[in-house]
Amino acid sequence: MIQLKHVLVLVFLCVFSGISQSTNGYELWMPYSNIEDSSLTKKYRDYSKSIYFPGSTETLMIAKNELHTGLRKMLGLASIPTNSNRLENTMIIGTKENLNSDIQQSLSKAYVEIGNEGFIIKTVSIKSKTVLVVTANTDIGILYGVYRLLNLMQQHKNLHNINAVDTPKIKLRMLNHWDNLDRTVERGYAGFSLWNWQKLPEFIDQRYIDYARANASVGINAVSLTNVNANALILTPMYLEKVEALARVFRPYGIKIYLTARFSAPIEIGNLETADPLDPKVQQWWVHKADEIYKLIPDFGGFLVKANSEGQPGPQNYGRNHVDGANMLAKALLPHKGNVIWRAFVYSEHDADDRAKQAYSEFVPYDGKFMENVLVQTKNGAIDFQPREPFHPMFGAMPKTPLMMEFQITQEYLGFSTHLVFLPKLFEEVLDADTFRKEENSTVAKVIDGSLHNQKLTGMAGVANIGTDLNWTGHPFAQANWYGFGRLAWDPYLSSETIADEWLRMTFSNDESFLEPMTRMLIKSRETVVNYMNPLGLHHIFDTGHHYGPGPWVSELSRPEWNPTYYHKADSQGIGFDRTPSGSNATEQYAKPLQELWNDPQTIPEEYLLWFHHLPWDYKLKNGATLWDGIALKYQQGVDEVAGMITTWSIMKPFVSKEQHEEVTMLLEIQLKEAKWWRDACLLYFQTFSKKDVPDGVSKPLYSLEYYKSLKFPFAPGIRPQWD
Ligand code: BDP
């Protein structure tokens, strides 16, 4: 029997060490842990003595409940007094028209700045008393403001003299779920799909609400529920009724639903003989479908479409093009203010050109031809969500088209949910890249937020890493990638350090001896995975289909560009893909200054070296090492860095719960094992061409090349179902 004194000791230990109350990760970055620092608690309590928070819409009620829960948990308050006399309060929360005219007046400029979704958090002096004000033009602005306030408190920020005026820089901040109707998730590593289609619409799982809440807390305002490799059934009445139930849950959190539209739906569920976008019957079918959806879901966001890509049907099946297809759907949605998000992830087995060039070649000529409610969704790089890719050359090259960013939050090519990789660092690198398309510093972020080419419709999508796992994302640290994606979609200029610091504080601890080493570890983790998987610009050398682990030897798949050998081109002469004018000339798709920089192996940043150049094994790197030695040393460095992560984590016990500590320790051990696997398999294989020994400092391989080649994973998670 556990005795009372044991319980007391445990409670004392937890309180003393500042361990958050949440131990299974379900509460994500919102555990609202009790604040131990008594002077800080006192300051926060001073603002919480009495609260004026008028309004009773659904959204405002959510904001109120959240505020009360947060304050109660963080400050240990039994209840939060509310007061209807505005002037006697210490915290005032309300939309513009609910505040007294003095406050309104003093904030008039800020109200213009924040638009429909932004908020103001500010301390003001009323009758010589300091009052904390959270205000906005809309209810959703209030909800975002309340979440921000609570998050700042979770981060123990000083609210004295706070004047935070913040509004999202990107309009559509969206998660793309690749969820199938049978609840499997393509490239999902955190269990099954959250959407329980069988029990919907009647049964509303608490998870839907908690999911919406988590998204709203970082400002995500759109979700596409279904896989881009789409099933037309989602557009049938039976499923639309279920979608409507989810829309009802998400609406007060400011989240709009999008669905993936299978281009051949008019045939599959509409009994038409064709899906030709120029056929009036097909056009009518989509108009009626849109009307039917909007009748059920008046704020439906629109369609996300993967067409003529990897076997998906599209307008090209009928000799039409992407513009014909996208505009047909756009016309059906326009009267309802819906959008078409048309994906640019295309490459064809009939096109012998470098896969990296194909999307640009196909889409750039269409610039200016899409209707005003079409966004072209473009992956961050020209190949496919690799641990590192140069930014996609389409960014900046289509000034008359809203280009929407597509990042992958789920770690298809980044170790699934077993590897700790902090992705905001990767996202930041892409967003900060200079396209040189207009003036200097024409960054990808400026393309995406519309400021470079004056676009009104803007968006950023992240392929979700969320599933039914208790902690939502499989790896506890993968939550940071969901959080970080949301923050960057709100503000693509935020630094990854800031995001890491925020997330660590809220999720685990505000203790500096935890934060400093852990922020460093998160920031470095991205380069670490590049080192042990794809150093010096190597890419797409993953094993077939599932993309779990290395497979640089794979060469027999039916389509050349599905084979890793297509990408690394290792031979007795050297390694790498020549994309300069002497090779595929993919560099031509970038602005002049980049062409000049990247065409020359001496001036290209070495992290992109083998992406753009085929170089001899004894080519001299900047540090004097030969290319072969350099590759080998990078693989070893990656392994050593994972070992370093294990050391760092081992001293973090005092700051996290025992369960969390053990869970992450076990996952890091897997990561180490797999980093070694990558190192050994790749070096043994490339050595068959280089015919050189590995340099000093690189460990001997644990097994033979044959052994690594023999590994098969027919049941690796996330494998795409059979394409049809
Ligand atoms: C690739 C995935 C595949 C997706 C495809 C896409 O391997 O499962 O369907 O991208 O984005 O990364 O359409």
Side-chain angles (χ1 to χ4, degrees):
M1 262 264 288
I2 298 177
Q3 293 177 357
L4 183 63
K5 68 177 180 199
H6 291 142
V7 175
L8 288 178
V9 168
L10 208 70
V11 168
F12 173 77
L13 276 177
C14 290
V15 169
F16 182 72
S17 58
I19 291 174
S20 80
Q21 296 132 1
S22 121
T23 52
N24 61 23
Y26 186 81
E27 290 173 303
L28 295 160
W29 46 88
M30 296 179 289
Y32 299 136
S33 307
N34 190 261
I35 299 172
E36 265 87 51
D37 176 344
S38 54
S39 68
L40 190 64
T41 312
K42 185 185 169 310
K43 283 185 199 145
Y44 288 169
R45 277 189 178 179
D46 283 345
Y47 293 122
S48 316
K49 278 189 185 133
S50 67
I51 299 179
Y52 175 67
F53 196 156
S56 58
T57 63
E58 248 189 294
T59 301
L60 291 178
M61 291 315 289
I62 289 169
K64 265 185 224 183
N65 282 338
E66 192 75 37
L67 184 73
H68 286 195
T69 309
L71 293 180
R72 266 204 315 270
K73 287 176 81 177
M74 283 189 281
L75 308 180
L77 299 172
S79 67
I80 314 285
T82 48
N83 193 324
S84 56
N85 183 345
R86 272 200 288 236
L87 297 180
E88 280 169 17
N89 287 280
T90 50
M91 194 186 298
I92 295 180
I93 302 187
T95 49
K96 187 175 169 189
E97 67 273 10
N98 280 309
L99 301 194
N100 84 20
S101 53
D102 286 354
I103 302 181
Q104 274 187 34
Q105 280 284 293
S106 70
L107 298 176
S108 58
K109 247 182 70 202
Y111 278 120
V112 177
E113 235 176 90
I114 59 172
N116 283 337
E117 291 183 296
F119 56 80
I120 304 161
I121 306 177
K122 189 171 164 50
T123 44
V124 295
S125 190
I126 299 178
K127 289 194 174 165
S128 69
K129 206 176 67 196
T130 306
V131 175
L132 185 66
V133 175
V134 180
T135 183
N137 291 311
T138 59
D139 289 358
I140 197 68
I142 294 289
L143 182 65
Y144 288 156
V146 165
Y147 278 123
R148 181 64 60 81
L149 174 67
L150 292 169
N151 287 348
L152 291 172
M153 290 169 101
Q154 289 201 92
Q155 296 164 39
H156 295 190
K157 295 287 172 191
N158 189 351
L159 300 179
H160 183 63
N161 286 339
I162 187 171
N163 185 9
V165 179
D166 202 3
T167 189
K169 296 195 170 60
I170 291 177
K171 217 163 163 186
L172 285 178
R173 306 176 297 279
M174 182 178 200
L175 287 181
N176 287 181
H177 288 263
W178 285 357
D179 294 13
N180 299 311
L181 299 183
D182 64 2
R183 295 192 77 181
T184 56
V185 180
E186 182 156 338
R187 311 309 178 186
Y189 313 106
F192 286 92
S193 168
L194 292 183
W195 325 130
N196 191 334
W197 297 112
Q198 187 247 327
K199 288 188 181 162
L200 279 164
E202 290 84 3
F203 184 80
I204 300 298
D205 193 324
Q206 178 63 31
R207 277 234 156 177
Y208 306 150
I209 300 163
D210 295 339
Y211 163 85
R213 170 177 172 251
N215 280 336
S217 80
V218 286
I220 289 170
N221 67 353
V223 298
S224 165
L225 299 174
T226 43
N227 194 348
V228 285
N229 297 315
N231 188 321
L233 286 180
I234 192 68
L235 301 177
T236 56
M238 183 178 96
Y239 276 97
L240 288 175
E241 201 188 324
K242 299 169 191 285
V243 173
E244 190 276 331
L246 289 174
R248 238 181 303 134
V249 176
F250 297 168
R251 188 168 295 122
Y253 291 89
I255 298 168
K256 284 190 179 176
I257 287 186
Y258 283 69
L259 292 175
T260 47
R262 185 160 162 91
F263 204 77
S264 49
I267 304 173
E268 286 156 22
I269 58 168
N271 285 325
L272 297 190
E273 267 160 20
T274 174
D276 181 349
L278 298 195
D279 185 314
K281 282 203 289 300
V282 174
Q283 296 170 353
Q284 264 312 301
W285 188 86
W286 283 108
V287 166
H288 288 148
K289 189 47 74 181
D291 292 347
E292 178 191 343
I293 297 175
Y294 278 92
K295 208 177 264 162
L296 275 173
I297 310 168
D299 56 353
F300 179 65
F303 295 134
L304 168 63
V305 189
K306 173 175 178 177
N308 293 121
S309 160
E310 297 184 331
Q312 292 300 305
Q316 291 171 355
N317 298 30
Y318 307 94
R320 317 297 181 196
N321 62 33
H322 290 291
V323 177
D324 299 328
N327 285 355
M328 171 197 56
L329 295 175
K331 255 184 227 143
L333 294 169
L334 192 65
H336 308 284
K337 300 197 170 57
N339 299 317
V340 172
I341 301 175
W342 192 267
R343 294 178 85 231
F345 179 65
V346 295
Y347 59 98
S348 157
E349 69 258 54
H350 307 300
D351 188 344
D353 205 3
D354 178 2
R355 169 173 165 187
K357 293 174 68 181
Q358 294 185 26
Y360 178 105
S361 305
E362 213 170 315
F363 274 85
V364 170
Y366 299 138
D367 189 27
K369 303 214 160 76
F370 291 102
M371 279 177 57
E372 75 256 37
N373 57 335
V374 176
L375 296 111
V376 173
Q377 182 165 297
T378 311
K379 290 190 180 180
N380 60 274
I383 297 290
D384 196 5
F385 298 139
Q386 299 300 291
R388 168 167 281 125
E389 289 190 53
F391 71 86
H392 201 302
M394 279 170 63
F395 291 117
M398 296 184 68
K400 292 185 231 130
T401 309
L403 286 195
M404 181 158 170
M405 171 63 76
E406 179 173 331
F407 284 127
Q408 194 179 41
I409 312 173
T410 189
Q411 293 172 235
E412 174 181 357
Y413 296 99
L414 286 133
F416 294 8
S417 59
T418 16
H419 293 208
L420 190 162
V421 185
F422 183 64
L423 292 179
K425 184 73 185 158
L426 184 166
F427 303 157
E428 175 188 49
E429 181 177 291
V430 176
L431 293 166
D432 285 354
D434 194 345
T435 67
F436 289 94
R437 284 293 176 186
K438 215 169 159 192
E439 62 264 347
E440 207 186 323
N441 219 17
S442 297
T443 59
V444 172
K446 288 186 188 167
V447 176
I448 295 310
D449 76 3
S451 58
L452 193 68
H453 297 127
N454 206 11
Q455 295 292 349
K456 296 277 164 295
L457 190 53
T458 55
M460 190 192 285
V463 180
N465 62 348
I466 302 159
T468 49
D469 276 9
L470 196 54
N471 70 5
W472 302 86
T473 55
H475 199 303
F477 278 76
Q479 295 179 356
N481 297 333
W482 177 8
Y483 176 82
F485 166 78
R487 295 290 285 134
L488 283 169
W490 179 281
D491 180 355
Y493 303 95
L494 277 178
S495 82
S496 53
E497 277 85 1
T498 303
I499 295 169
D501 180 75
E502 289 176 1
W503 182 80
L504 286 167
R505 284 175 184 275
M506 294 194 284
T507 309
F508 292 113
S509 168
N510 277 280
D511 196 311
E512 289 301 331
S513 14
F514 172 77
L515 290 168
E516 198 276 326
M518 284 305 294
T519 306
R520 240 182 317 126
M521 176 171 133
L522 289 197
I523 296 301
K524 206 168 148 191
S525 63
R526 186 305 185 91
E527 203 58 41
T528 296
V529 77
V530 171
N531 289 339
Y532 67 73
M533 284 187 183
N534 289 189
L536 294 168
L538 285 173
H539 53 287
H540 221 310
I541 54 176
F542 296 79
D543 200 1
T544 306
H546 48 65
H547 301 147
Y548 172 57
W553 45 80
V554 175
S555 64
E556 276 143 23
L557 301 180
S558 59
R559 288 176 61 166
E561 74 287 355
W562 283 349
N563 291 305
T565 49
Y566 172 93
Y567 298 96
H568 63 68
K569 302 206 185 304
D571 55 23
S572 59
Q573 303 300 306
I575 184 169
F577 198 133
D578 183 0
R579 294 193 162 107
T580 69
S582 59
S584 78
N585 204 14
T587 50
E588 194 193 35
Q589 296 181 336
Y590 290 92
K592 272 267 156 355
L594 287 176
Q595 290 180 26
E596 276 157 29
L597 203 67
W598 291 357
N599 279 337
D600 182 349
Q602 297 296 320
T603 54
I604 190 168
E606 273 183 350
E607 61 258 32
Y608 298 142
L609 195 61
L610 303 176
W611 189 284
F612 289 108
H613 295 272
H614 186 81
L615 295 168
W617 293 108
D618 53 8
Y619 173 83
K620 279 262 174 308
L621 295 171
K622 293 203 177 91
N623 65 6
T626 63
L627 179 58
W628 166 251
D629 285 358
I631 291 173
L633 289 165
K634 281 280 181 199
Y635 273 109
Q636 182 64 45
Q637 185 184 339
V639 172
D640 295 344
E641 285 168 352
V642 179
M645 284 159 78
I646 293 176
T647 311
T648 304
W649 184 248
S650 72
I651 54 175
M652 295 305 154
K653 271 193 191 149
F655 308 106
V656 299
S657 73
K658 189 165 173 290
E659 293 93 321
Q660 282 166 328
H661 196 266
E662 278 170 5
E663 188 181 1
V664 174
T665 302
M666 290 186 284
L667 290 167
L668 285 170
E669 289 295 345
I670 301 177
Q671 189 170 355
L672 180 62
K673 188 168 124 197
E674 297 188 353
K676 289 179 183 166
W677 171 27
W678 270 94
R679 176 197 63 197
D680 295 349
C682 292
L683 291 180
L684 282 169
Y685 169 72
F686 290 135
Q687 201 169 32
T688 62
F689 302 102
S690 80
K691 310 262 190 263
K692 293 173 193 295
D693 286 337
V694 292
D696 286 348
V698 179
S699 307
K700 294 275 164 281
L702 296 168
Y703 303 97
S704 69
L705 179 57
E706 287 323 304
Y707 166 78
Y708 292 116
K709 282 186 173 177
S710 75
L711 297 175
K712 296 281 173 278
F713 305 96
F715 304 113
I719 297 185
R720 59 195 329 182
Q722 215 47 43
W723 293 349
D724 43 321

